[in-house]
Amino acid sequence: MKKFLLTLCMLFFFAASAIAGVNINTADLKALEALPGIGTAKAQAIIDYRTANGNFKSIDDLKNVKGIGEKVLEQVRAMIEI
């Protein structure tokens, strides 16, 4: 029983860390590309924007990036963090 509970706790820990959002202030190109609606061009635009303007202060600031509108933002909102 102890082994089962330990295994269950470990699974919960790994599952919780897997659902952590992609930090748009630190994510690299590959991590950003993995988001739905974000391809190579938009991922690079995100990186270029934060390089030129500093870190995003809110998730809604993504709308300032060329090519990212409300539709794309809503697709990724639950998967990203600041």
Side-chain angles (χ1 to χ4, degrees):
M1 185 64 165
K2 285 183 184 179
K3 253 185 174 178
F4 174 74
L5 289 175
L6 180 60
T7 303
L8 191 59
C9 287
M10 289 179 69
L11 284 173
F12 176 74
F13 171 75
F14 290 121
S17 61
I19 1 182
V22 173
N23 186 319
I24 58 173
N25 286 323
T26 59
D28 63 7
L29 189 69
K30 290 285 184 194
L32 293 169
E33 286 176 329
L35 294 168
I38 306 290
T40 303
K42 288 179 187 169
Q44 188 59 57
I46 292 169
I47 293 169
D48 293 344
Y49 182 88
R50 75 176 183 220
T51 300
N53 300 290
N55 285 343
F56 294 94
K57 305 248 185 306
S58 76
I59 290 174
D60 288 320
D61 288 345
L62 263 181
K63 290 188 284 186
N64 296 327
V65 176
K66 183 178 180 179
I68 298 182
E70 193 63 40
K71 184 177 177 182
V72 172
L73 183 60
E74 290 310 312
Q75 284 180 306
V76 299
R77 185 179 294 276
M79 299 172 204
I80 58 176
E81 60 185 38
I82 302 293

